Amino acid sequence: MSTHTEHQAQRGPEPLDVNDPRLSRFEIVEEGARRDDIEIVHYEPQVVPGSKAERRVTRTVASMFLLTGLAATAFLVIYIWWPWKWEAGRGGDKYYTPLLGVTLGIALLGIGFGILTWGKKLLPKEVSIQDRHDQPGSPEDRKITGETMLYMADELGVKRRPLLGVSLLAGLLPVGAVVAAPLVGGLISNPHKNRQMFTTGFAAASSGERIRLIREDGRPIRPSDVSVGGQLTVFPGIEGGVSNKHADSPTLLIHLREDDAQRSRTANERIGHRDYMWGNYVAFSKVCTHAGCPASLYEQQTNRLLCPCHQSQFLITDNATPIFGPANRRLPQLPIEVDEEGFFVAKSDYTEAIGPDFWERP
């Protein structure tokens, strides 16, 4: 029988006065256990206080917590200062996301293994059996509960092993900063700098330059290239217009039937987009306003455009207004016309922000 259990057996059945200042904290904990009909079946320390084994395990746990702190700090440094904007070739931006994943993974593994090792190797082993009670607690019960919680804090050994407390603090503070970093990221770098969230590859058209609508292979598009009821994905006819550099620019050019085109013109006039269509042709952004997926499945019989990611549906003849699914903002419309050579061009850039709603927030 362990020493703690022997003390409990020697004390007898008489209840103790838990307010007696001569009682130790553990004696109050034992009294609380006895009053709650808790039988301590097994209780023994894992290591001898002050022993080499204790110091060795303490160093191991502290090393894991410090590794957590270093990895979380590296995450913050990479998140804030590592080049993340995509560039052609094999620049540093290629490693941005993998490095974030690796450093965050190491930080979480470090703190997880540190806590597991602390609990498995340093905390005493205890097996107790308790009968449940439904009665409300008395003032003495609350006293016992408070002392029990303080005793548990003592058993963690942070006061006796200050290295653990310092290393735990050093590991958790950077992890807390990691949690806050995405929330304050917009304060570090202005997402609206140079109106980058409000311009696409068609931006030059706003200053009078004629930006042609082109296919993926670079060929410009004539009205006759799109059959009635058909649609075609188009891009800005500029350098890199088809590449990821202008991933916000893919546009769906649709040739509406006569009746559908009339409904679309009426809807355009209602919101001040009178001259956005050319004839029976209309162009809308393919970037879904819910999560940025490509809204590319067009049903010509219903004039609905479906985003396959989360099933949002947009009614093309009503300014591409969402009528189903999680999207709650219509797709931006690109003003179009035909130039002197008979090719489609953009009259200006999009007049609304492309993509998910949160990109619009000032």
Side-chain angles (χ1 to χ4, degrees), residues 120-146:
K120 294 283 188 181
K121 300 296 185 182
L122 289 178
L123 295 183
K125 291 182 178 180
E126 178 181 338
V127 178
S128 301
I129 301 174
Q130 178 184 18
D131 293 332
R132 295 292 183 183
H133 300 279
D134 298 328
Q135 294 80 7
S138 65
E140 285 193 337
D141 289 336
R142 291 193 289 271
K143 167 75 173 178
I144 291 170
T145 300

Side-chain angles (χ1 to χ4, degrees), residues 59-108:
R59 288 193 296 269
T60 300
V61 175
S63 299
M64 292 180 181
F65 289 154
L66 291 175
L67 177 63
T68 293
L70 290 174
T73 302
F75 176 95
L76 293 172
V77 171
I78 294 168
Y79 182 83
I80 296 172
W81 286 290
W82 193 275
W84 58 269
K85 292 186 177 180
W86 183 88
E87 296 179 1
R90 300 187 60 83
D93 59 290
K94 305 298 185 299
Y95 305 103
Y96 180 72
T97 300
L99 284 175
L100 288 181
V102 169
T103 52
L104 183 58
I106 292 175
L108 296 179

Side-chain angles (χ1 to χ4, degrees), residues 61 83 94 97 108 114 131 159 191 248 259 267 274 277 287 312 320 332:
V61 175
K94 305 298 185 299
T97 300
L108 296 179
D131 293 332
K159 291 183 179 179
D248 56 357
D259 292 344
R274 177 185 297 272
M277 292 178 61
V287 184
S312 293

Side-chain angles (χ1 to χ4, degrees), residues 200-214:
T200 71
F202 294 102
S206 298
S207 59
E209 183 178 346
R210 311 299 288 274
I211 303 297
R212 281 182 174 176
L213 278 56
I214 62 172

Side-chain angles (χ1 to χ4, degrees), residues 100-327:
L100 288 181
V102 169
T103 52
L104 183 58
I106 292 175
L108 296 179
L109 286 174
I111 195 170
F113 280 114
I115 292 174
L116 285 174
T117 305
W118 192 343
K120 294 283 188 181
K121 300 296 185 182
L122 289 178
L123 295 183
K125 291 182 178 180
E126 178 181 338
V127 178
S128 301
I129 301 174
Q130 178 184 18
D131 293 332
R132 295 292 183 183
H133 300 279
D134 298 328
Q135 294 80 7
S138 65
E140 285 193 337
D141 289 336
R142 291 193 289 271
K143 167 75 173 178
I144 291 170
T145 300
E147 293 297 323
T148 300
M149 295 178 67
L150 292 173
Y151 179 76
M152 292 171 61
D154 288 344
E155 286 295 287
L156 289 175
V158 175
K159 291 183 179 179
R160 191 172 69 252
R161 308 161 185 141
L163 179 60
L164 285 180
V166 173
S167 61
L168 181 60
L169 187 63
L172 288 182
L173 281 179
V175 171
V178 165
V179 174
L183 302 178
V184 299
L187 304 178
I188 298 173
S189 178
N190 182 6
H192 300 292
K193 183 179 180 181
N194 299 325
R195 293 185 57 81
Q196 59 186 353
M197 295 299 181
F198 293 88
T199 59
T200 71
F202 294 102
S206 298
S207 59
E209 183 178 346
R210 311 299 288 274
I211 303 297
R212 281 182 174 176
L213 278 56
I214 62 172
R215 303 172 188 263
E216 190 172 6
D217 58 9
R219 290 181 297 157
I221 300 164
R222 299 178 183 274
S224 58
D225 294 334
V226 187
S227 59
V228 176
Q231 50 84 23
L232 187 66
T233 299
V234 297
F235 306 88
I238 60 175
E239 183 178 357
V242 184
S243 70
N244 285 339
K245 181 178 180 180
H246 294 287
D248 56 357
S249 302
T251 300
L252 199 66
L253 177 65
I254 303 173
H255 187 177
L256 297 171
R257 293 183 292 265
E258 184 63 41
D259 292 344
D260 297 331
Q262 183 56 49
R263 284 195 292 271
S264 184
R265 277 190 289 270
T266 300
N268 273 8
E269 292 175 1
R270 190 169 61 246
I271 62 171
H273 289 181
R274 177 185 297 272
D275 299 325
Y276 278 44
M277 292 178 61
W278 184 87
N280 293 346
Y281 295 82
V282 65
F284 288 100
S285 170
K286 286 188 66 173
V287 184
C288 181
T289 53
H290 168 236
C293 299
S296 54
L297 303 179
Y298 176 62
E299 295 181 344
Q300 62 170 283
Q301 297 301 319
T302 61
N303 291 300
R304 294 187 179 191
L305 184 62
L306 171 68
C307 177
C309 292
H310 305 99
Q311 315 310 312
S312 293
Q313 294 183 23
F314 304 88
L315 184 59
I316 294 300
T317 53
D318 187 19
N319 306 118
T321 299
I323 56 175
F324 182 83

